[in-house]
Amino acid sequence: MDVNPRKIPRQARARATVEAILGAGAQLLAEHGFESLTTARVAERAGVSIGSLYQYFPNKQALAAALIDHYGEALAAAFRQRWRGHETLAGAVDAMVGAALVSHPHGPELHRALNELAPRVGRAEKNKGISARIAGIVTMVLEQHRHEIAADLNLADAAALIETVLETVSHRAIEHHPVTPDSASMASHCRRLIMAYLTNPAPR
Amino acid sequence: MDVNPRKIPRQARARATVEAILGAGAQLLAEHGFESLTTARVAERAGVSIGSLYQYFPNKQALAAALIDHYGEALAAAFRQRWRGHETLAGAVDAMVGAALVSHPHGPELHRALNELAPRVGRAEKNKGISARIAGIVTMVLEQHRHEIAADLNLADAAALIETVLETVSHRAIEHHPVTPDSASMASHCRRLIMAYLTNPAPR
DNA sequence: TGAATATGTGACGAATCCCTCACATTTTGT
DNA sequence: ACAAAATGTGAGGGATTCGTCACATATTCA
């Protein structure tokens, strides 16, 4: 299945069309999921004709892949800008948890939908790459506070685990998990979880 | 959308038919996801006619809901049987992590697919209920080792966080996350994460 | 055994969806 | 200004899907 763009927009008008299509696709994907995402509905919401959509995206999967690429980059960029300049490890962890809890620039539904979608449109690696980049950022932050972290902890492994925890906990917090009292408490427990893990050496 | 079963099977033959339909549905859901799950394909894989399927499930959503109920219960039951009789907190945590890493009695794909599916067929609460029950089991385990756990930690909150971590980490470990070296290392880090969280009081 | 009930079948109508194509309109470049 | 290129349009073909219905077969029970 060819997933490459059929034609690149040259005029400003065409770029606006593509933007409108991507925006409409993101909205509908977040609202109703992929199985009820139809090319006709996307075109309608975008305010363009179905023909215009197929001029830039050869098929429905290509549209989905474009959405994953477009909003995945936005997510990683949003995360990168939130961890700079913290003097202490506690401050950096605070920032990371805070970032995870708010860093869904286009809503958690869209984030989840794109995650589910990626492996079905040949973009599994792309999405894993985003996670890996965020884990890389976390690794860098941890390195800056190496002296506060248990010496026997491998930073790359720890960063991968923390990235996983951050992503999921943020999802759960936002969807009001029944056993989770509220987001503030969740964030506080999450901070404590990560700090305890980082600063205490393995027992025995 | 009515999601209740249309008719309950009375004869053994009918029960076998329903079982075959549920089994086929689970297989296809895990293999290809919900958007390519068609009633005709489910019936074909189950070895029954399409008409038989519609005798017990009024529509496609009802079939999905039945799958969620059926396999959700199986998951909770599988988890409950793995935590009994551990003398130490470390042993209990080991057991929980191990359970999370293997307790997908019908494969992680099915588990993920059902999780994604629940909110779209009126079963969001059901799935949250399963998580809550697992969190409740974790709470009981923690209570049995109260003396080994930091006194200022609320056990219910901690259990909710741990349940979340266990579920996601197991997903990631199985799908071979790139930055995760291997499952064994993942499990070891996961144990350390949870133990550090539980046994160390909040700093300052 | 025979009637009543339960279960199984699969062709088919109605609805929906993906995508194409012939053509209209706008913009660019000379 | 005018031709060439870029962009936009939407009806409709071909394919797929959901769910029904009239009928066949199997089981139960008196």
Side-chain angles (χ1 to χ4, degrees):
Chain A
M1 175 74 68
D2 183 20
V3 149
N4 296 323
R6 171 169 289 178
K7 173 204 293 193
I8 59 167
R10 300 177 187 282
Q11 305 175 0
R13 179 172 57 128
R15 278 191 294 275
T17 299
V18 172
E19 295 262 336
I21 292 171
L22 289 175
Q27 278 183 29
L28 292 172
L29 189 58
E31 287 171 18
H32 305 299
F34 185 64
E35 83 258 20
S36 65
L37 184 80
T38 72
T39 52
R41 273 200 270 270
V42 171
E44 183 190 13
R45 171 85 58 113
V48 303
S49 82
I50 179 69
S52 291
L53 188 154
Y54 276 96
Q55 252 176 353
Y56 301 101
F57 305 95
N59 52 54
K60 188 182 166 184
Q61 318 234 343
L63 172 61
L67 285 173
I68 289 169
D69 293 354
H70 190 80
Y71 289 92
E73 297 296 333
L75 178 69
F79 194 87
R80 200 200 324 271
Q81 292 186 329
R82 285 190 134 259
W83 62 272
R84 298 172 189 282
H86 291 281
E87 289 300 318
T88 66
L89 177 62
V93 169
D94 265 21
M96 291 192 298
V97 172
L101 288 179
V102 305
S103 76
H104 299 277
H106 304 280
E109 282 80 10
L110 179 59
H111 189 185
R112 284 198 80 148
L114 291 176
N115 262 322
E116 301 167 8
L117 199 50
R120 291 185 202 156
V121 293
R123 280 293 188 275
E125 293 313 313
K126 176 81 183 182
N127 243 15
K128 286 183 185 174
I130 304 265
S131 292
R133 274 165 53 192
I134 292 181
I137 295 171
V138 173
T139 305
M140 287 175 51
V141 175
L142 295 185
E143 274 166 358
Q144 292 179 353
H145 302 278
R146 204 7 166 165
H147 58 284
E148 291 187 65
I149 298 176
D152 62 328
L153 202 57
N154 177 293
L155 291 191
D157 287 1
L161 184 56
I162 289 172
E163 189 270 327
T164 298
V165 170
L166 286 180
E167 171 158 351
T168 323
V169 165
S170 72
H171 284 164
R172 286 271 176 129
I174 292 169
E175 75 188 15
H176 298 96
H177 198 249
V179 288
T180 299
D182 62 317
S183 270
S185 161
M186 190 60 143
S188 136
H189 275 269
C190 194
R191 273 194 293 272
R192 179 168 176 173
L193 172 73
I194 294 172
M195 283 299 291
Y197 170 58
L198 289 175
T199 60
N200 290 287
R204 258 172 283 169
Chain B
M1 175 74 68
D2 184 20
V3 149
N4 296 323
R6 172 169 288 180
K7 173 201 293 191
I8 59 167
R10 299 178 186 282
Q11 305 176 0
R13 177 173 57 126
R15 277 191 295 275
T17 300
V18 171
E19 294 262 335
I21 292 172
L22 289 175
Q27 280 183 29
L28 292 172
L29 189 58
E31 287 172 18
H32 305 299
F34 185 63
E35 83 258 21
S36 65
L37 184 81
T38 71
T39 51
R41 273 199 271 270
V42 171
E44 185 190 11
R45 171 85 58 112
V48 304
S49 81
I50 180 67
S52 290
L53 189 154
Y54 277 97
Q55 250 176 355
Y56 300 102
F57 304 97
N59 52 53
K60 191 181 163 185
Q61 319 236 342
L63 172 61
L67 286 172
I68 289 170
D69 292 353
H70 191 79
Y71 289 93
E73 296 296 334
L75 177 70
F79 194 89
R80 199 200 324 270
Q81 292 187 327
R82 284 189 135 260
W83 63 271
R84 298 173 188 282
H86 291 281
E87 289 300 318
T88 66
L89 177 61
V93 169
D94 265 23
M96 290 193 296
V97 173
L101 288 178
V102 306
S103 77
H104 300 276
H106 305 281
E109 282 79 9
L110 179 59
H111 189 185
R112 285 197 78 149
L114 291 176
N115 262 319
E116 301 167 9
L117 200 50
R120 291 185 204 156
V121 293
R123 280 294 188 273
E125 293 314 313
K126 177 80 182 183
N127 243 14
K128 286 183 185 175
I130 304 266
S131 292
R133 273 166 53 193
I134 292 180
I137 296 171
V138 173
T139 304
M140 287 176 50
V141 175
L142 295 186
E143 274 166 1
Q144 292 178 353
H145 302 277
R146 207 0 169 169
H147 59 284
E148 289 187 66
I149 297 176
D152 62 330
L153 202 57
N154 177 294
L155 291 191
D157 287 1
L161 183 55
I162 289 172
E163 188 271 327
T164 299
V165 170
L166 287 180
E167 170 158 352
T168 323
V169 165
S170 72
H171 284 165
R172 286 268 175 132
I174 293 170
E175 75 189 16
H176 298 95
H177 198 249
V179 288
T180 299
D182 61 316
S183 269
S185 161
M186 188 60 141
S188 136
H189 276 267
C190 194
R191 274 195 293 272
R192 179 167 175 173
L193 172 74
I194 293 172
M195 283 300 289
Y197 170 59
L198 289 176
T199 60
N200 290 288
R204 256 172 284 168

